[in-house]
Amino acid sequence: MAPKKLSQPTTPKAPGRRTFLTAMAATAAAPALRPLDVAAQTSARSDSAVHSSFDPWVEVHADNLRHNIEVISQRVKGRPIMAVIKNNAYGLGIANAGRILDPLDAVEGMAVVKLNEAVALRDAGIRKPVLLMGPFDEANLEEMVARDIMPMVYTPIGDALERVAAKLQKTIPIHVCLDTGMGRVGVPARDAAPLVRDLAGRAGVRIEGLQTTLSEDAELDPMQIERLQEVGSTLRAEGVDIGRLHAASSFGLFEHPDAFLDMVRVGMAIYGVYSEPPFRELGVLDLRPAVAMRAKVAYVKQLRRGETAGYGRAYEAENDVWIATLPIGHVDGLPRAAAQGGRLTIGGRRYPIIAAISASHTMVEIGAEGRVQIGDEVTVFDWEDGSRPEDLAAEFNGSVYDLTMHLGPLMARRMV
Ligand SMILES: *Cc1c(COP(=O)(O)O)cnc(C)c1O
């Protein structure tokens, strides 16, 4: 029985310019390097927050994470892996992921995009190289270097690097980012050689790698790989030490063995999730999800035929029907789009999401029989076939990146 829709769910109002400016001011006023943000704190293993047992939580499957590193390492024939653990390690919690990955030989280092996550890794005792792939202020450079956070650079920042290197009596390892066609960040490939020569010529700087991001376009990718290799071989022929060339993300792992180069830089696959549906069928990598999201059913009730549920009466019961209310909303990371076809698991059965996903609640249709009780465990996704992130994403025609990368930072993280 398809849930009947009486009106469109309301679209969220875009934040106004004023809210944006207020948010900016708050950021600007904050001290340059806050020790740990909320996400990092709640991701710590000893979670001191008090959670109700109904509240949604995240489970981190350490063995699966280690398994994924192992199979990726085999796939890339032992090349080093730069583990991308940005955005709270795709939901696992930055410190949780860092602690599991730190002792693994196959992992060369860990890459993040936000400075506070790089700092959180060091505060959590992570010893491997940490690469900051996002922008930073020159004012923070000294503290970054003091904490062994490697900057990814692509602007003429050589003088500032030299100054800090001299002051701290350290050589600063860096990766240089080349734009070979993605157009987002990175020095344009045609202008890269002079910048790299300048940086390489500085006593306080050591280039550990040249990197680029593929556009995941079948025609452009090969040209991008070629552009990176061209710059690399020109510089190597001149005797410039450029460290490792790296380009392949999870997409590259499946599609571009020619982009494995000297290192791969992988995120989603590490967490055991196939980034694109066809990759699951290829059979080249046995990935096992390392993350699950669960909660407990908050309420169960029967709607009589013709009764409605949800804002704007988004759902109407065509017959007497049982409904379960789950304490999971879009603030927890269940995307609003999941209401269009997504199903969640309770007691081994999949139940369709009805009406709309609100901030903190979601309803599922149980059917004519009241099979579900208050307190039953509900799985949004986990590592079992049928309830993997890929399964849920396919049901609402969404992307796995919408599921695991947006998990609320306030949820408890449990190691299993
Ligand atoms: C996120 C990111 C990656 C990893 O991407 P996945 O698709 O998760 O493997 C690699 N490189 C850069 C620059 C990134 O921002």
Side-chain angles (χ1 to χ4, degrees):
M1 174 178 53
K4 187 176 167 194
K5 274 196 11 214
L6 294 184
S7 64
Q8 286 296 326
T10 49
T11 32
K13 244 177 85 179
R17 176 153 173 79
R18 195 179 153 68
T19 352
F20 177 68
L21 289 176
T22 316
M24 289 293 286
T27 318
L33 281 187
R34 284 175 301 151
L36 272 177
D37 68 349
V38 175
Q41 274 169 15
T42 52
S43 71
R45 202 182 290 219
S46 58
D47 185 349
S48 62
V50 177
H51 299 275
S52 125
S53 74
F54 290 89
D55 291 342
W57 70 89
V58 170
E59 292 176 9
V60 176
H61 199 305
D63 284 342
N64 280 1
L65 189 59
R66 284 186 283 261
H67 163 89
N68 298 324
I69 292 289
E70 201 178 303
V71 294
I72 293 166
S73 178
Q74 284 162 9
R75 166 94 177 134
V76 302
K77 307 215 157 50
R79 288 176 178 83
I81 299 169
M82 176 63 75
V84 179
I85 64 170
K86 65 191 180 194
N87 303 334
N88 212 19
Y90 293 42
L92 282 74
I94 187 90
N96 292 333
R99 289 191 187 111
I100 300 166
L101 297 170
D102 206 31
L104 305 183
D105 288 340
V107 175
E108 167 74 18
M110 296 169 220
V112 295
V113 170
K114 301 285 198 316
L115 177 56
N116 69 346
E117 292 200 310
V119 172
L121 284 171
R122 286 289 176 243
D123 284 348
I126 301 309
R127 311 180 64 125
K128 286 235 155 92
V130 171
L131 173 64
L132 176 64
M133 302 194 295
F136 56 90
D137 298 297
E138 266 183 41
N140 289 336
L141 193 55
E142 188 178 327
E143 189 162 355
M144 283 167 54
V145 173
R147 285 171 169 272
D148 289 324
I149 294 166
M150 256 190 307
M152 180 188 87
V153 307
Y154 47 93
T155 56
I157 197 183
D159 288 346
L161 290 169
E162 282 259 83
R163 220 170 22 244
V164 171
K167 187 167 173 197
L168 298 182
Q169 297 285 300
K170 277 181 127 171
T171 304
I172 306 177
I174 62 168
H175 288 247
V176 182
C177 179
L178 275 63
D179 176 20
T180 54
M182 181 65 179
R184 210 166 50 174
V185 293
V187 56
R190 73 181 95 86
D191 304 326
L195 177 69
V196 176
R197 281 187 204 109
D198 170 79
L199 292 166
R202 307 214 176 222
V205 177
R206 187 177 66 248
I207 299 179
E208 298 260 298
L210 300 191
Q211 67 182 90
T212 197
T213 296
L214 301 178
S215 55
E216 306 185 1
D217 176 273
E219 271 177 58
L220 187 54
D221 283 350
M223 291 195 267
Q224 290 191 264
I225 298 164
E226 205 178 296
R227 284 170 195 160
L228 178 68
Q229 285 182 299
E230 240 172 59
V231 175
S233 43
T234 302
L235 289 165
R236 277 174 177 157
E238 293 170 15
V240 179
D241 188 359
I242 52 163
R244 296 190 167 105
L245 295 181
H246 50 113
S249 64
S250 299
F251 184 90
L253 269 189
F254 294 95
E255 290 284 303
H256 288 299
D258 52 333
F260 293 171
L261 305 174
D262 307 319
M263 179 165 78
V264 292
R265 201 178 62 237
V266 185
M268 191 58 88
I270 285 174
Y271 310 104
V273 181
Y274 294 97
S275 49
E276 305 283 338
F279 296 164
R280 197 172 169 185
E281 320 302 331
L282 283 180
V284 301
L285 269 180
D286 166 35
L287 299 179
R288 302 179 187 163
V291 58
M293 179 180 179
R294 306 189 207 277
K296 286 185 175 176
V297 173
Y299 193 48
V300 178
K301 77 190 138 324
Q302 191 185 33
L303 293 184
R304 297 286 162 80
R305 185 157 73 92
E307 288 182 332
T308 59
Y311 291 114
R313 296 190 288 172
Y315 172 85
E316 182 181 328
E318 288 174 0
N319 289 295
D320 293 359
V321 67
W322 288 88
I323 298 298
T325 305
L326 317 173
I328 307 164
H330 58 77
V331 295
D332 302 303
L334 181 61
R336 285 164 182 269
Q340 316 304 318
R343 288 167 177 263
L344 306 179
T345 301
I346 307 171
R349 290 169 191 260
R350 302 283 282 172
Y351 296 107
I353 298 171
I354 58 163
I357 290 163
S358 50
S360 308
H361 294 98
T362 295
M363 291 179 279
V364 291
E365 185 185 73
I366 303 303
E369 286 166 52
R371 288 195 206 98
V372 168
Q373 312 283 319
I374 289 177
D376 283 358
E377 195 170 279
V378 48
T379 296
V380 178
F381 55 79
D382 64 3
W383 30 81
E384 302 296 337
D385 261 342
S387 53
R388 291 174 57 126
E390 299 93 332
D391 297 313
L392 175 56
E395 285 166 343
F396 69 90
N397 206 10
S399 159
V400 287
Y401 290 89
D402 296 338
L403 287 178
T404 73
M405 256 204 208
H406 297 265
L407 295 179
L410 297 176
M411 285 187 285
R413 262 71 182 172
R414 299 178 190 162
M415 308 293 279
V416 299

